[in-house]
Amino acid sequence: MTGLPHLRNIDLSHNNIKDTESLHTKIGQILTLDLSYNNIRNLHGMSKLYSVTNLDVSNNKLRTLADVTTVTSLPCIEKLTVSPNKVNNEVDYR
């Protein structure tokens, strides 16, 4: 998808995605990324999604805050949708 420089929104929901390693090398300069309803266990592979402003990872297999914290420091992130996931049961998840 890096050959599509004007593509800004990608909906990859409901695709049984498990691995997000090096995702930034595959999707280019995306602003909105929907990865809801997949089987993602952590967001570590998303640490370089510098252009993403809106990320939806709801309904995955995120269990702990450590699974999510990687994306909270992305420079452009404005909206992060995590609920529902097991991480929502953590005391300080917000």
Side-chain angles (χ1 to χ4, degrees), residues 7-61:
L7 184 64
R8 296 292 177 239
N9 306 310
I10 296 179
D11 184 343
L12 295 173
S13 61
H14 301 277
N15 276 290
N16 198 28
I17 295 171
K18 297 175 184 172
D19 182 23
T20 61
E21 286 301 313
S22 303
L23 187 61
H24 67 284
T25 64
K26 298 171 182 118
I27 64 170
Q29 298 295 311
I30 296 303
L31 300 178
T32 301
L33 178 58
D34 185 350
L35 288 166
S36 60
Y37 294 92
N38 280 292
N39 290 307
I40 299 168
R41 294 187 181 277
N42 66 63
L43 306 181
H44 303 273
M46 299 183 189
S47 64
K48 294 183 180 178
L49 293 178
Y50 300 129
S51 63
V52 171
T53 59
N54 187 352
L55 177 61
D56 186 345
V57 289
S58 58
N59 293 288
N60 275 283
K61 299 194 182 293

